[in-house]
Amino acid sequence: MEYPRVTIVCPTLNQGKYIRETIDSVLAQDYPEIELIVQDGGSTDGTLDILKSYGNKFAWRSEPDVGQADAINRALASSSGLILTWLNSDDTLLPGAVSTIVDRFRRYPEAGLFYGNAIFTGSDGGFLFTTEVAHCDFERMVEECRNPICQPASFFTREAWVKVGGLDTSLHYFLDWDLWLRIAEEFPIYATGAMLAIYRLHDE
């Protein structure tokens, strides 16, 4: 397939002050086959008005869930992409991120997960620091007992997602690290070295 579909799920709850920037960073990507699904947990802060303002540019639904992992699992279960990720509604993708990832998966089709670097900012978007993630694997993540992979700069295959059973809905913290460990047990995972996303740190 020349342009494999990439699904990006955006789980959100009452983050209306950030979500438009998140959505726009996906819609501005230069890759032609992106499926964006916003999974809202029942926001009451004006988020739904923002989602409605985009018309039919992407799919969205608002319904109760039992946490972020449940919301992401639900959205990905209804998706059609071969390459998957989620992007929290206070983070953004950098220009060209999706094209970069698709190129890597084309070159290394055995991979289950690719990850890059990210820029960390404060609540106002002011620069804090950048990540420099070198290659890691299952053994390194276990031995060092830490998660070196920045979630919004990571993408994985549907094959890997299905094989490991998706996110563990009992987890509300480190759910991404748990997923990386299970994927890394089954598939090669690779660093791209590219700057792919912006990760926002804020009190909420």
Side-chain angles (χ1 to χ4, degrees), residues 3-204:
Y3 292 108
R5 176 166 289 183
V6 177
T7 294
I8 300 171
V9 166
C10 177
T12 189
L13 179 64
N14 292 328
Q15 289 195 323
K17 60 184 174 182
Y18 300 127
I19 192 170
R20 188 178 293 278
E21 188 176 350
T22 300
I23 291 169
D24 289 347
S25 78
V26 176
L27 297 181
Q29 293 292 306
D30 61 1
Y31 187 74
E33 276 294 327
I34 295 177
E35 175 186 46
L36 172 62
I37 303 173
V38 178
Q39 185 77 24
D40 177 75
S43 293
T44 58
D45 68 340
T47 293
L48 301 189
D49 289 333
I50 293 172
L51 297 179
K52 291 174 184 176
S53 74
Y54 284 92
N56 61 358
K57 290 184 178 180
F58 54 86
W60 65 272
R61 62 180 68 91
S62 183
E63 59 190 10
D65 56 55
V66 294
Q68 180 184 183
D70 179 46
I72 295 165
N73 282 350
R74 289 187 191 197
L76 284 178
S78 68
S79 71
S80 59
L82 296 179
I83 300 170
L84 314 174
T85 194
W86 73 91
L87 184 67
N88 289 325
S89 54
D90 49 7
D91 300 329
T92 55
L93 291 179
L94 290 170
V98 175
S99 293
T100 297
I101 283 295
V102 171
D103 176 68
R104 297 302 195 280
F105 276 113
R106 282 174 175 153
R107 291 162 58 188
Y108 301 93
E110 75 280 6
L113 169 72
F114 267 105
Y115 52 93
N117 291 310
I119 300 168
F120 278 64
T121 71
S123 60
D124 61 354
F127 174 83
L128 296 176
F129 59 90
T130 59
T131 62
E132 294 293 338
V133 182
H135 173 70
C136 67
D137 53 26
F138 177 81
E139 289 75 15
R140 180 177 175 185
M141 283 190 281
V142 170
E143 288 173 0
E144 296 183 0
C145 195
R146 70 183 188 93
N147 177 15
I149 299 174
C150 186
Q151 183 276 313
S154 63
F155 292 75
F156 42 91
T157 64
R158 179 170 296 279
E159 179 186 5
W161 173 263
V162 170
K163 185 163 187 176
V164 305
L167 290 170
D168 183 341
T169 57
S170 72
L171 300 177
H172 298 288
Y173 303 97
F174 302 112
L175 62 159
D176 52 347
W177 188 12
D178 172 73
L179 180 66
W180 312 153
L181 286 168
R182 288 186 283 122
I183 290 177
E185 281 190 291
E186 302 288 345
F187 298 88
I189 66 172
Y190 299 127
T192 69
M195 197 67 68
L196 300 178
I198 296 176
Y199 190 109
R200 192 191 305 265
L201 296 175
H202 57 95
D203 290 342
E204 296 87 354

